[in-house]
Amino acid sequence: AYEDWTLLSTRVELHLLLHAFKKDLNDPDRPSFGEKDLSFYFQKYWKKSFNIKNFGCKELPDFIEFVSAVVAIDQDSGLFKALLPEDTVLEQIMRQTEDDRRERQRRSDAGDETAKLKFTRPTPMPPQSGQKGYGRGGQKGGAAGDRRGAIVGAGGGGGGYGGSYSSGARSYSGQKRPAPYSGGGGKQGGGKGGYGSYGGGYRR
């Protein structure tokens, strides 16, 4: 079902996003970001919009219940934190999501109407001028494109969630504030590929 695939891909995307952000920024004083910046960085890294209302949620804590296996909110700082290690094999997230689906199905069969997920399909974003579309295996441009290819492959029957996040990842370890993304060519800060070139600039 659409809801099951959406829940799986969202968990994977948030897991990868939080670890990529930490590696790219490379700032111990800012290991993550808060609720107000979630949509901004989700768009920067995954090139698609994010709104908790699409998950039938009005408040962030309601949404966190859907992804509580991989993401939590730090009670002291109010920032998102990844619950799984960086090198987590993505099949682990798949298994957890499938277990949750079976539990919801069991409750639904027992007459619990609240067990049914009702997500809203977001309106597709129009392609940006001069930007090439994604192929089935993701897009060129470094580790972020590879990760997106894994997620797209899982939904389309090719590639799947094999491997782990850490393979082939690059980061900007030599700078705390990567230069703002200037678009085109996948170049930033003199390098190619990596999450920084895919995601763009950072909010201060």
Side-chain angles (χ1 to χ4, degrees), residues 131-199:
Q131 178 180 356
K132 296 181 179 180
Y134 294 110
R136 185 172 181 178
Q139 78 166 43
K140 296 180 180 180
D146 295 339
R147 301 304 169 268
R148 182 178 178 87
I151 294 172
V152 173
Y161 283 91
S164 62
Y165 159 79
S166 61
S167 60
R170 295 183 182 180
S171 64
Y172 290 88
S173 59
Q175 57 185 33
K176 289 190 176 182
R177 291 291 190 275
Y181 176 57
S182 58
K187 296 183 179 180
Q188 176 185 5
K192 296 183 179 180
Y195 290 100
S197 61
Y198 187 89

Side-chain angles (χ1 to χ4, degrees), residues 75-204:
Q75 296 300 317
D76 296 327
S77 64
L79 303 179
F80 292 103
K81 63 178 180 179
L83 298 181
L84 300 177
E86 179 183 349
D87 59 353
T88 297
V89 177
L90 299 185
E91 279 92 334
Q92 179 177 335
I93 301 178
M94 288 188 67
R95 289 193 295 268
Q96 180 62 55
T97 303
E98 173 61 15
D99 289 344
D100 292 344
R101 185 197 68 80
R102 293 182 179 182
E103 174 60 20
R104 289 195 307 273
Q105 186 63 52
R106 184 195 64 78
R107 290 167 50 198
S108 178
D109 293 343
D112 184 357
E113 293 295 325
T114 64
K116 296 181 179 179
L117 299 179
K118 297 179 181 179
F119 295 167
T120 301
R121 294 175 183 262
T123 302
M125 294 183 61
Q128 297 180 5
S129 177
Q131 178 180 356
K132 296 181 179 180
Y134 294 110
R136 185 172 181 178
Q139 78 166 43
K140 296 180 180 180
D146 295 339
R147 301 304 169 268
R148 182 178 178 87
I151 294 172
V152 173
Y161 283 91
S164 62
Y165 159 79
S166 61
S167 60
R170 295 183 182 180
S171 64
Y172 290 88
S173 59
Q175 57 185 33
K176 289 190 176 182
R177 291 291 190 275
Y181 176 57
S182 58
K187 296 183 179 180
Q188 176 185 5
K192 296 183 179 180
Y195 290 100
S197 61
Y198 187 89
Y202 293 84
R203 289 184 171 182
R204 298 181 182 275

